[in-house]
């Protein structure tokens, strides 16, 4: 057994403490902080996964070596074919060939570039796709890139013009083929897609973005307010001794515990215009204009989403508030009874002030959850009809993954992030240091 | 305030529980109806109950496979995050380190981050690692949700254990890590278990990451799999209600067995003592 004096022991405890915190901190940094920073960085680019000329983040000019080497391989042969097909064009073809070779030689003057080109050449010869982006893309000097690209497009235009005067169809098609090849090669030399805050400017003027933000804010305000009021009422009512508490508690927990997507599917069935029971009863009791109103109109869609969310989350809210109520000592109510206070005065004078911090913390978590709403809306209405129920998260998801537009989608993600940060900041100011009470010394 | 519960109170209670449970009741009743009846009438009880919808739900889509996927992913996520979180929560609540407030603040902030703000870099990362359509591909992003949650709840449980225990362990010559492993962790076991249940449910319910990262049908989790039952042209409500009943059963069992724990975990996570 090691002998420890008190000082040494303290030091060890500290080191152990930091060692114990470190893995989690690194994980949080790796999977939360870094991605948020990366999202912000992505939002500064015109970055689209489905467009090969913009599928990378490029601060300067870049060359897509895989495609370039492949295209370049055919240029010489193609130009020779062209020269022998049309004698008038032979001189032009040679001139173009020389010019391209000049640029190509300049490109591979750089030792590293030459090695990359050779490596890719080998891989292409064996039909191996280049997956390593470090190898596939290389930075170019902006001036050189512009010159090379211009030379290629000029040559393409020259040939296109020549194609119109070609003696016959066959020669014309050879010329066009060559021109297209040169055009394709010029498209492999990529311009920077860094556009700074231009994406933000676009979205600040985008009515769909403001619509989505408005829907999200409306949804958040209404659901959280309803959940708080109903939850508080239920908590006050069941804050007493009664038989079957366990059963009530379990039944209240089930809506909270099932996946939101499953709840959304269930409600989708209940709301269905043809066979939905909720839609049917509401129509029978004249609560709604028609059974299809719920999912096929803008107001109905919003109402449906809010009702489903209130159903799923109010029980949870009631549980949290009930636990808060149970920490209020009964003696306070007894004393105020002696003083002749009525129930209403007791509620405002004792219950609410003492429940304040529980309510604020519950509100903070609920508000943030509601503001991030995605699955409920995505599964229940898909954001429709006509984007009337689209939340900002749903809009961001569609831009990111349906349109594969990671630049613009990231702008929307960053907007969600900033809103959430603002909401948290306001709540944390309101709650103050109470949030950490009971966790740190 | 222990008021006596009267008849009116029980009537209210029954009505409340009925309202909360109504969607489940209706979906269950639908799941045992013959398909024709679902679309033709609003009668509550069918005269000819059948399990056809269950059969269809299990054969039309790999529902059991979805459940297996969800189970493995949520289980792995729970184990990993509890392992990391218990160390951190212990250090933050019981060891003399600096910057506790900062660490907890960071953890809380991380739990508030909207998933949509991190999904595209995470998607690129998982794609680059070749982990799309795998269990690990979901466990990594799930850490973002589960680790802060676990640290936050575990911290309250560790805090409740009397500090005298550590003092006496010190006097007996136990090293700080021995104190954690042999004394505090076993004492906190109920709290750790509770946290585990909450983390498991959170991972089980996750939708956005599962939808984008595991797009192959064999790797889908329950929430995503269920939402894929509806196609563009028809909505097979019979299949959907049967599938909903099947995937809800494990949750109902979990809740019935552990309701006390779940409530204590939920309230400790969002309330000061």
């Amino acid at each position: 057994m090691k002998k420890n004096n008190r000082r040494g022991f303290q030091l060890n405890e500290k080191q152990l403490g930091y060692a114990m915190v470190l893995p989690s901190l690194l994980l949080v940094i790796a999977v939360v902080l870094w991605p948020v920073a990366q999202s912000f960085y992505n939002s500064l680019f015109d970055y689209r996964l489905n467009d090969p000329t913009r599928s990378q983040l490029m601060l300067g000019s870049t060359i897509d070596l895989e495609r370039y080497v492949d295209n370049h391989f055919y240029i010489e042969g193609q130009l020779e074919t062209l020269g022998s097909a049309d004698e008038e064009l032979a001189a032009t073809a040679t001139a173009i060939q020389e010019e391209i070779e000049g640029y190509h030689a300049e490109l591979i003057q750089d030792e590293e570039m030459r090695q990359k080109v050779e490596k890719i050449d080998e891989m292409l010869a064996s039909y191996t796709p280049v997956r390593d982006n470090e190898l596939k893309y290389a930075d170019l000097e902006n001036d050189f890139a512009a010159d090379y690209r211009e030379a290629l497009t000029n040559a393409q235009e020259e040939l296109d013009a020549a194609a119109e005067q070609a003696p016959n169809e066959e020669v014309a098609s050879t010329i066009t083929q060559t021109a297209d090849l040169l055009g394709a090669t010029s498209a492999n030399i990529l311009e920077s897609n860094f556009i700074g805050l231009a994406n933000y400017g676009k979205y600040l003027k985008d009515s769909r973005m403001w619509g989505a933000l408005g829907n999200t804010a409306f949804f958040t305000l209404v659901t959280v307010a309803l959940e708080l009021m109903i939850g508080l009422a239920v908590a006050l009512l069941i804050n007493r001794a009664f038989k079957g508490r366990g059963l009530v508690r379990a039944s209240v927990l089930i809506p909270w515990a099932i996946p939101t997507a499953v709840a959304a599917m269930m409600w989708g069935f209940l709301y269905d215009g043809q066979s939905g029971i909720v839609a049917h009863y509401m129509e029978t009791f004249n609560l709604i204009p028609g059974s299809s109103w719920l999912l096929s109109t803008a107001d109905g869609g919003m109402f449906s989403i809010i009702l489903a969310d209130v159903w799923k989350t109010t029980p949870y809210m009631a549980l949290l508030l009930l636990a808060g109520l149970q920490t209020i000592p009964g003696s306070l109510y007894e004393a105020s009874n002696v003083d002749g206070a009525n129930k209403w005065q007791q509620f405002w004078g004792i219950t609410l002030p003492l429940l304040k911090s529980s309510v604020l913390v519950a509100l903070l978590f609920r508000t943030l959850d509601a503001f991030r709403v995605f699955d409920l809306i995505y599964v229940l209405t898909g954001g429709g009809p006509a984007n009337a129920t689209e939340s900002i998260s749903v809009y961001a998801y569609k831009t990111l993954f349906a349109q594969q537009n990671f630049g613009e989608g990231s702008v929307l993600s960053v907007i969600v992030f900033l809103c959430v940060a603002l909401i948290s900041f306001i709540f944390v100011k309101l709650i103050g240091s109470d949030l950490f009470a009971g966790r740190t010394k | 305030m222990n008021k006596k519960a009267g008849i009116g109170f029980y009537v209210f209670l029954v009505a409340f529980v009925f309202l909360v449970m109504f969607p489940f009741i209706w979906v269950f009743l639908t799941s045992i109806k013959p398909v024709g009846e679902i679309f033709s009438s609003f009668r509550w009880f069918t005269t000819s109950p059948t399990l056809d919808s269950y059969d269809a739900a299990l054969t039309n889509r790999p529902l059991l496979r979805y459940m297996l996927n969800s189970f493995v992913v949520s289980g792995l996520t729970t184990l990993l995050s509890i392992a990391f979180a218990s160390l951190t929560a212990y250090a933050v609540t019981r060891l003399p380190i600096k910057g506790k407030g900062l660490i907890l603040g960071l953890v809380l902030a991380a739990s508030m981050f909207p998933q949509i703000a991190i999904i595209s870099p995470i998607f690129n990362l998982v794609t680059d690692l070749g982990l799309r359509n795998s269990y690990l591909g979901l466990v990594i992003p799930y850490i973002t949700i589960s680790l802060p949650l676990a640290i936050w709840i575990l911290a309250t449980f560790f805090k409740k254990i009397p500090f005298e225990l550590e003092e006496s362990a010190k006097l007996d010559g136990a090293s700080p890590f021995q104190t954690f492993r042999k004394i505090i962790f076993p004492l906190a076991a109920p709290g750790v278990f509770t946290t585990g249940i909450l983390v498991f449910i959170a991972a089980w319910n996750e939708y956005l990451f599962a939808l984008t990262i595991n797009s192959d049908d064999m790797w889908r989790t329950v929430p995503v799999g269920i939402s894929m039952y509806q196609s563009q042209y028809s909505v097979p409500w019979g299949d959907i209600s049967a599938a909903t009943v099947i995937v809800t059963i494990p949750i109902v069992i979990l809740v019935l067995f552990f309701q006390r724990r779940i409530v204590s975990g939920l309230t400790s996570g969002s309330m000061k003592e």
Side-chain angles (χ1 to χ4, degrees):
Chain A
M1 178 75 46
K2 227 172 27 175
K3 252 174 81 179
N4 288 309
N5 59 32
R6 217 180 143 64
R7 253 185 81 95
F9 201 94
Q10 280 295 8
L11 197 67
N12 274 339
E13 266 189 344
K14 258 193 179 168
Q15 289 167 338
L16 177 72
Y18 292 122
M20 284 170 123
V21 169
L22 196 64
S24 294
L25 275 189
L26 289 180
L27 266 179
V28 166
I29 290 169
V31 294
V32 184
L33 299 186
W34 168 78
V36 169
Q38 184 71 43
S39 272
F40 179 71
Y41 188 61
N42 288 353
S43 71
L44 303 176
F45 289 84
D46 183 12
Y47 175 28
R48 296 158 199 243
L49 290 194
N50 54 358
D51 179 346
T53 61
R54 287 180 282 200
S55 66
Q56 290 295 305
L57 302 178
M58 294 170 294
L59 276 175
S61 294
T62 305
I63 184 163
D64 178 345
L65 281 176
E66 184 184 19
R67 287 166 206 269
Y68 170 78
V69 171
D70 194 25
N71 285 331
H72 179 260
F73 174 79
Y74 294 105
I75 288 179
E76 194 178 345
Q78 184 67 35
L79 284 170
E80 265 171 30
T81 318
L82 181 65
S84 52
D86 185 343
E87 278 170 27
E88 280 176 39
L89 276 176
T92 321
T94 320
I96 293 173
Q97 167 69 14
E98 270 169 17
E99 192 177 18
I100 292 177
E101 275 323 300
Y103 279 112
H104 185 71
E106 198 180 333
L107 177 73
I108 59 173
Q109 240 174 23
D110 181 55
E111 183 57 27
E112 201 184 328
M113 189 75 84
R114 195 179 59 78
Q115 281 172 0
K116 278 186 171 181
V117 168
E118 275 173 14
K119 182 99 190 285
I120 290 173
D121 216 17
E122 279 168 33
M123 291 176 80
L124 287 173
S126 59
Y127 301 103
T128 322
V130 183
R131 291 242 162 70
D132 179 9
N133 282 341
E134 287 290 307
L135 179 63
K136 185 173 154 98
Y137 295 95
D139 294 338
L140 287 185
E141 234 171 84
N142 285 339
D143 292 342
F144 173 74
D147 289 348
Y148 196 177
R149 195 167 41 228
E150 208 189 328
L152 285 164
T153 36
N154 284 346
Q156 181 194 12
E157 277 163 20
E158 194 180 336
L159 290 179
D160 273 334
E164 280 166 26
Q165 284 134 33
N168 58 50
E169 284 280 310
E170 203 182 320
V171 176
S173 97
T174 313
I175 300 174
T176 324
Q177 262 178 25
T178 318
D180 288 349
L181 177 63
L182 295 176
T185 313
S186 77
N188 301 142
I189 300 164
L190 312 172
E191 274 176 272
S192 161
N193 58 352
F194 180 83
I195 51 169
L197 296 174
N199 276 334
Y200 288 87
K202 181 188 162 192
Y203 275 106
L204 288 179
K205 282 183 263 166
D206 177 25
S207 62
R208 189 173 166 190
M209 194 286 284
W210 289 109
L213 206 58
N215 290 338
T216 314
F218 180 76
F219 170 85
T220 306
L221 268 177
V222 175
T223 54
V224 174
L226 283 175
E227 283 157 18
L228 179 69
M229 286 190 292
I230 305 174
L232 188 60
V234 171
L236 286 169
L237 279 167
I238 62 175
N239 183 24
R240 61 181 87 187
F242 63 87
K243 291 199 179 96
R245 291 188 82 112
L247 193 72
V248 173
R249 194 158 49 194
S251 68
V252 153
L253 274 176
I254 291 173
W256 165 81
I258 63 162
T260 311
V262 173
M265 288 301 284
M266 275 178 24
W267 282 97
F269 173 47
L270 300 178
Y271 290 146
D272 186 66
Q274 276 156 13
S275 38
I277 183 86
V278 168
H280 174 68
Y281 281 156
M282 288 182 114
E283 189 190 20
T284 311
F285 293 112
N286 280 323
L287 294 171
I288 55 173
S291 63
S292 61
W293 180 80
L294 284 171
L295 291 179
S296 61
T297 64
D299 293 344
M302 188 51 93
F303 171 82
S304 307
I305 287 165
I306 289 174
L307 179 63
D309 194 71
V310 168
W311 169 81
K312 186 163 171 22
T313 322
T314 304
Y316 163 75
M317 196 70 141
L319 271 181
L320 289 190
L321 295 173
L322 182 62
L325 281 178
Q326 284 168 345
T327 60
I328 301 176
S331 56
L332 285 177
Y333 293 99
E334 282 155 28
S336 71
N337 274 338
V338 173
D339 293 342
N342 63 28
K343 285 267 180 302
W344 191 243
Q345 286 169 326
Q346 284 182 347
F347 176 72
W348 287 104
I350 303 171
T351 314
L352 266 193
L354 286 175
L355 208 55
K356 190 182 144 207
S357 68
S358 312
V359 167
L360 279 177
V361 174
L363 273 185
L364 164 68
F365 286 105
R366 273 309 306 149
T367 308
L368 293 183
D369 259 0
F371 200 86
R372 296 182 285 198
V373 61
F374 175 78
D375 12 1
L376 181 67
I377 292 177
Y378 188 74
V379 176
L380 191 55
T381 66
N387 300 337
T389 60
E390 189 173 67
S391 76
I392 188 91
S393 291
V394 173
Y395 187 21
Y397 173 83
K398 286 180 183 166
T399 312
L400 283 171
F401 293 100
Q403 299 176 17
Q404 304 257 302
N405 192 334
F406 269 35
E408 294 186 359
S410 296
V411 172
L412 293 168
S413 323
V414 169
I415 292 176
V416 182
F417 173 74
L418 292 178
C419 293
V420 163
L422 183 71
I423 296 170
S424 322
F425 179 76
I426 294 170
F427 269 103
V428 170
K429 276 274 162 201
L430 281 176
I431 302 170
S433 57
D434 279 5
L435 206 53
F436 297 118
R439 285 190 184 79
T440 51
K441 267 186 241 182
Chain B
M1 56 176 187
N2 274 338
K3 287 174 281 186
K4 271 275 169 288
I7 270 289
F9 174 74
Y10 281 106
V11 170
F12 159 77
L13 209 60
V14 169
F16 175 68
V17 171
F18 176 76
L19 270 183
V20 170
M21 295 307 282
F22 173 74
F24 296 107
I25 298 170
W26 183 257
V27 164
F28 172 72
L29 291 174
T30 305
S31 71
I32 53 172
K33 283 179 187 170
V35 174
E37 214 172 297
I38 298 173
F39 294 95
S40 59
S41 87
F42 289 105
R43 275 191 313 160
W44 280 58
F45 300 98
T46 175
T47 44
S48 46
T50 160
L51 292 178
D52 288 353
S53 291
Y54 286 88
D55 193 36
L58 291 171
T59 46
N60 290 350
R61 286 198 164 264
L63 188 63
L64 293 177
R65 171 79 196 200
Y66 298 154
M67 292 178 80
L68 174 76
N69 293 344
S70 271
F71 190 79
V72 174
V73 170
S74 313
L76 279 176
T77 306
T78 308
L79 285 180
L80 267 178
S81 44
I82 291 288
F84 286 116
S86 58
L87 295 178
T88 306
Y90 178 76
V92 169
T93 49
R94 309 185 77 94
L95 290 178
I97 56 169
K98 282 187 189 138
K100 290 176 177 187
L102 189 72
I103 295 166
L104 274 179
L106 185 73
V107 164
L108 187 66
S111 75
M112 292 172 182
F113 275 33
Q115 274 89 51
I116 194 77
I118 57 177
I119 187 146
S120 53
I122 291 272
F123 176 83
N124 280 343
L125 174 76
V126 170
T127 309
D128 287 347
L129 292 173
L131 289 176
R132 285 196 59 201
N133 296 315
S134 75
Y135 291 138
L136 209 56
L138 280 188
V139 171
I140 294 172
Y142 282 8
I143 299 278
T144 57
I145 304 165
S146 62
L147 188 67
L149 179 73
I151 295 175
W152 191 249
I153 302 172
L154 274 175
T156 33
F157 284 116
F158 279 132
K159 193 75 195 167
K160 283 184 196 152
I161 298 164
F163 280 84
E164 291 77 24
L165 287 169
E166 265 146 332
E167 299 297 324
S168 55
K170 257 187 221 176
L171 290 178
D172 290 345
S175 77
F177 193 71
Q178 280 175 328
T179 317
F180 167 69
R181 199 169 55 88
K182 299 217 169 122
I183 297 174
I184 306 299
F185 192 77
L187 277 175
V192 172
F193 187 71
T194 301
T195 313
I197 296 173
L198 293 180
V199 169
F200 187 88
I201 292 179
W204 183 278
N205 293 355
E206 204 286 330
Y207 186 75
L208 181 58
F209 286 123
L211 177 70
T212 42
I213 291 171
N214 281 7
S215 50
D216 186 291
D217 204 30
M218 287 316 279
W219 295 98
R220 285 199 174 118
T221 58
V222 165
V224 181
I226 283 270
S227 69
M228 297 290 161
Y229 268 90
Q230 50 185 344
S231 71
Q232 224 169 343
Y233 307 104
S234 68
V235 190
W237 290 125
D239 296 16
I240 292 173
S241 51
T244 305
V245 172
I246 295 172
V247 300
T248 308
I249 290 170
I251 298 284
V252 171
I253 294 174
L254 200 71
V255 168
L256 283 180
F257 269 102
F258 301 119
Q259 38 152 317
R260 267 172 204 287
R261 286 184 180 286
I262 294 174
V263 172
S264 82
L266 280 179
T267 48
S268 77
S270 61
M271 205 149 343
K272 59 195 188 106
E273 293 303 305

